[in-house]
Amino acid sequence: SQDAAYRVSVAPLGGLGAALTFVDVTEAEQMGQMRRDFVANVSHELRTPLTALLGFIETLRGAARDDAPARDRFLAIMEREAERMNRLIRDLLHLSRVESQERVRPTDRVDLASLISSAIATLRPLAQTQGVTIETTGIDGPLPVPADADQITQVLTNLIENAVKYGGAGGSVTIRLSREALPRGPGIRVDVIDTGEGIDPQHIPRLTERFYRVDGHRSREKGGTGLGLAIVKHIVNRHRGRMRIESEKGQGSVFTVVLPES
Ligand code: ADP
């Protein structure tokens, strides 16, 4: 292919010339690079809160020792940083679990409509603090799909949480249900639609990469780990579903997941 790189080795064949071996190393090298990037990212993400924690421990031992209000303030920041590490480790474990699983077909049928209702119920308090409304439209009634309930709940929670977080205060989040055919049969389509600021087109193909963020500062401020969409992508693949992202700058975004109905 156009991007292929080859490792060439020359083996002399005694007075008969030489044999040339071409080995395509592109993929192996890319994998190696991705692994190194991942380790570097994880280290950086863990080190940032850890450095803050160590700094505050130092301060509490010294200058802030006899200053009760300052102590309380620093402890609150330390708690936030520790929670950040906790979320990161939780998401890393989730990701490694879904990455290592094969694309087995879940045998249990779960009702997608009730998973959506409970995901919304979980996120309602967060939405209320942002003045964001959440509503559902489209197909009414139960929607049985073969799926792992916990994993699909995680997909829905990640997408709806992002729509609330990045959708902008006072906006609305709509979850629209419809049917869409997949190559192997019928599927249920879930669109998570927000009225936020949207995403520049050049970022869209990279959003499902681990730790990829459009605005790192903003994501961290909102408690993001940068792993949410990577987890979504893996879970959807594992269910033989499809995922798409569409966005219009200034209008909002639509994150679509289609899951097989059988
Ligand atoms: P994070 O933990 O940072 O939210 P995700 O993997 O869930 O990580 O999302 C990756 C990035 O994609 C986010 O940091 C944000 O920049 C962007 N993003 C995700 N969802 C939305 C959305 N609904 N609107 C705008 N940007 C979004």
Side-chain angles (χ1 to χ4, degrees):
S1 84
Q2 229 180 346
D3 310 317
Y6 295 95
R7 182 172 291 141
V8 184
S9 55
V10 186
L13 295 175
L16 300 167
L20 284 182
T21 320
F22 293 84
V23 181
D24 184 351
V25 291
T26 323
E27 207 168 313
E29 251 154 40
Q30 275 173 355
M31 289 293 285
Q33 185 59 43
M34 276 168 66
R35 204 165 299 133
R36 285 189 294 277
D37 289 349
F38 180 63
V39 172
N41 278 329
V42 171
S43 311
H44 173 77
E45 296 288 335
L46 283 170
R47 187 185 275 157
T48 311
L50 198 52
T51 305
L53 281 172
L54 290 170
F56 283 111
I57 289 171
E58 195 69 35
T59 317
L60 285 176
R61 280 225 179 93
R65 197 182 196 129
D66 305 313
D67 181 346
R71 231 168 33 216
D72 288 348
R73 220 169 43 241
F74 294 155
L75 283 170
I77 302 173
M78 290 168 77
E79 187 173 23
R80 214 173 56 215
E81 296 299 324
E83 277 164 358
R84 174 134 74 103
M85 291 178 77
N86 212 4
R87 273 197 304 275
L88 182 64
I89 290 164
R90 178 204 63 196
D91 281 359
L92 283 168
L93 288 173
H94 278 154
L95 186 62
S96 92
R97 205 174 308 138
V98 292
E99 274 183 342
S100 63
Q101 271 162 347
E102 300 216 348
R103 299 216 313 175
V104 288
R105 188 157 142 191
T107 44
D108 290 342
R109 289 179 83 78
V110 297
D111 175 21
L112 191 57
S114 58
L115 297 185
I116 291 174
S117 303
S118 38
I120 294 175
T122 308
L123 291 165
R124 190 83 72 189
L126 174 74
Q128 269 161 359
T129 64
Q130 319 270 311
V132 172
T133 58
I134 308 180
E135 57 190 48
T136 52
T137 82
I139 315 170
D140 222 3
L143 291 169
V145 289
D148 179 314
D150 288 342
Q151 292 192 0
I152 296 304
T153 297
Q154 177 148 34
V155 164
L156 296 166
T157 313
N158 287 359
L159 294 181
I160 301 170
E161 186 174 348
N162 279 351
V164 171
K165 280 195 312 192
Y166 301 110
S172 69
V173 173
T174 306
I175 294 129
R176 188 173 60 204
L177 289 164
S178 56
R179 291 204 151 76
E180 181 179 308
L182 287 167
R184 289 162 188 252
I188 305 278
R189 167 174 169 174
V190 184
D191 293 307
V192 180
I193 307 161
D194 69 55
T195 52
E197 79 243 48
I199 306 159
D200 263 331
Q202 85 262 22
H203 295 293
I204 292 179
R206 303 197 58 191
L207 293 182
T208 56
E209 288 174 21
R210 299 176 286 196
F211 296 116
Y212 190 85
R213 292 146 159 143
V214 177
D215 176 349
H217 179 70
R218 184 142 179 258
S219 154
R220 286 186 193 88
E221 211 171 57
K222 291 176 178 287
T225 61
L227 296 173
L229 292 176
I231 294 173
V232 168
K233 189 183 97 178
H234 277 284
I235 294 176
V236 170
N237 281 345
R238 186 175 175 260
H239 283 77
R240 298 168 203 275
R242 292 278 184 280
M243 177 185 182
R244 292 192 294 272
I245 305 171
E246 276 167 39
S247 190
E248 183 113 13
K249 214 51 196 142
Q251 301 289 308
S253 311
V254 184
F255 285 74
T256 301
V257 164
V258 188
L259 294 173
E261 258 191 288
S262 53

